Amino acid sequence: MTAAPDRPAALAAFRRGAWQESLDTADLPGSPARRLALVPEIVAHADRRWWRTARTALPALTDRRGRIRAALELFAHGTVTVGGLGPQSAAAFRAALWESAGLPGPLVERWCALLSEGFARRDVPDADDALALVALPGNTFTCLDSVLDQAERSAAVWVRPSRREPLSAARLVAALLAADWPAERIGLYPTDQRTLHGLVKLTDRHVVYGGAGLAASMRDAPTLTLHGPGRGCALVPAGLPVDDAVAWLLPLVAADSGRFCRNVRTVVCLDADPEPVAKALAAALDGLHPGPAPDPAAPDWPLTAFRDPGEAERAAAHVRTRLRAGDRLLTREPTVVRGTGGDVFVRPHLVLLDGRFGAAADVAHPLVGHEVPFPFAAVLGATAEAARAIADDSLFVHRPPTPHS
């Protein structure tokens, strides 16, 4: 008799106070030997009914801040038990993120530190009896900050991880449990996109991250906080020396591998020729290479790797296909490259848009505010009116840190 093949290890869901397997699974990106357990909508409905009864028997949750602080320490540096994966050290977590999501170690270290720093700065919120939902993106796990916020203020929080990167959300749940967070008050609900809308209907308060399409489909939820595209822009005043402009702009474009919603996507040169700034910034971006900085004294702005070469090509094409006649791609390095270990990277892109943008109507260019999962910026010259239109459409408007004379 032939033995049945071993089932791939599956990252479990966490529901009703326990790690749970599922017959519904999806591939874990970058890891063909692992899968992700999915929670069907009918199961989520049953869990909502269970919660209505379970919450009445729960004791008050005390010292939330201390427990979260302990969980963050475990998340960054400890060993925790993740359902379906078993004990996971900090080193194993970093290795898994690199294998599945292409996140390099220095970026993971930085994002862990940002999570802790952001939590330490935040005021203690008023607690209530809500069942909260946080639906996370796949571009950065710093958005776990919203999970911490809802855990501190809500009776319970269900976390819907991104299917592109569910490992960080699962590790945070495991870290909270290890820090004595009541198991009934936390959930991990991986789902398909359709079921996400069902989770919104089942919960009392919702924090959802997503792109423009998801944003449009969620606008009618009255208790929704939606984090959509940031469309970050930088306003370069006339007369700012080119070297000063580039020193200021480079980290705004390149830090965090261009994955934050506040990263600059559009550089607006006010009443000035944008070409000198664009050429100098393109040269600086061309100097960034996959992997750790070659110069130990240089800023470490590593690029994230793409585990699917086709996805890398499609991401780069998102810029090329939006070029208009006269626009110029000024970065000269190959757009998609392989690192020393065969990892695939998309190099930074910088485009100089053709013409001078004089009126608000002029700024409807497909590359203005365009977001891609790698460092990218479009540079343009504009009047004050056009610059205001771009800034009004951006959640993150950057200006030089000191007045220029």
Side-chain angles (χ1 to χ4, degrees):
M1 179 176 179
T2 304
D6 291 337
R7 293 179 61 189
L11 176 62
F14 191 84
R15 33 179 297 273
R16 298 198 186 197
W19 294 102
Q20 304 277 2
E21 296 182 355
S22 175
L23 294 177
D24 295 334
T25 61
D27 289 332
L28 197 61
S31 180
R34 290 179 181 169
R35 295 184 66 78
L36 173 66
L38 300 179
V39 178
E41 189 168 354
I42 190 171
V43 172
H45 274 273
D47 288 355
R48 174 69 205 216
R49 293 192 295 271
W50 166 84
W51 167 247
R52 291 193 187 101
T53 301
R55 67 181 177 181
T56 61
L58 292 176
L61 177 53
T62 59
D63 193 22
R64 298 191 189 206
R65 179 138 295 210
R67 296 176 200 232
I68 291 175
R69 193 179 298 114
L72 282 171
E73 178 66 20
L74 288 167
F75 179 85
H77 306 295
T79 295
V80 297
T81 300
V82 181
L85 305 184
Q88 182 190 67
S89 67
F93 172 55
R94 283 151 178 75
L97 283 182
W98 173 249
E99 176 190 1
S100 65
L103 297 180
L107 210 53
V108 176
E109 297 291 343
R110 170 172 159 76
W111 291 357
C112 285
L114 288 174
L115 265 180
S116 294
E117 292 164 8
F119 177 74
R121 289 194 303 266
R122 194 171 60 234
D123 293 334
V124 178
D126 294 330
D128 59 29
D129 199 35
L131 172 61
L133 170 72
V134 179
L136 294 164
N139 58 315
T140 169
F141 65 74
T142 57
C143 296
L144 290 170
D145 180 72
S146 290
V147 176
L148 303 177
D149 176 62
Q150 293 303 318
E152 199 170 13
R153 73 173 64 236
S154 309
V157 57
W158 288 1
V159 183
R160 192 263 188 181
S162 165
R163 285 174 57 175
R164 287 188 291 134
E165 196 287 275
L167 295 171
S168 57
R171 182 171 173 85
L172 182 61
V173 169
L176 285 166
L177 295 170
D180 294 326
W181 198 266
E184 297 85 356
R185 294 185 181 271
I186 188 74
L188 184 72
Y189 282 76
T191 69
D192 57 26
Q193 191 66 29
R194 179 181 55 82
T195 303
L196 170 58
H197 292 76
L199 290 179
V200 169
K201 295 176 183 178
L202 290 173
T203 49
D204 306 316
R205 182 167 54 238
H206 340 283
V207 180
V208 176
Y209 292 82
L214 179 62
S217 70
M218 293 281 185
R219 291 193 187 281
D220 294 335
T223 54
L224 173 70
T225 300
L226 181 66
H227 296 282
R231 299 173 63 87
C233 71
L235 305 181
V236 182
L240 182 67
V242 170
D243 288 348
D244 292 350
V246 171
W248 166 57
L249 291 168
L250 183 59
L252 295 177
V253 175
D256 301 296
S257 199
R259 289 195 166 208
F260 279 15
C261 56
R262 63 174 177 263
N263 277 107
V264 163
R265 318 291 177 172
T266 311
V267 176
V268 183
C269 295
L270 288 158
D271 295 317
D273 179 6
E275 187 163 346
V277 169
K279 286 185 172 179
L281 183 56
L285 289 169
D286 275 337
L288 302 180
H289 296 273
D295 178 0
D300 198 352
W301 296 325
L303 300 175
T304 51
F306 286 74
R307 292 300 170 226
D308 177 0
E311 183 185 357
E313 294 288 352
R314 289 189 293 273
H318 272 257
V319 173
R320 293 195 305 272
T321 57
R322 286 166 172 77
L323 292 171
R324 291 180 173 176
D327 296 340
R328 288 182 285 160
L329 179 66
L330 296 186
T331 37
R332 299 303 182 192
E333 293 290 327
T335 55
V336 178
V337 298
R338 288 188 179 272
T340 55
D343 301 302
V344 179
F345 300 86
V346 179
R347 296 294 305 271
H349 287 44
L350 184 135
V351 173
L352 176 61
L353 302 188
D354 184 47
R356 183 173 181 270
F357 292 70
D362 293 339
V363 302
H365 189 291
L367 287 177
V368 171
H370 184 58
E371 298 193 357
V372 286
F374 57 87
F376 161 74
V379 181
L380 59 94
T383 64
E385 179 185 352
R388 275 195 301 272
I390 292 172
D392 287 346
D393 199 36
S394 172
L395 296 180
F396 300 94
V397 180
H398 302 269
R399 295 176 173 84
T402 56
H404 170 66
S405 57

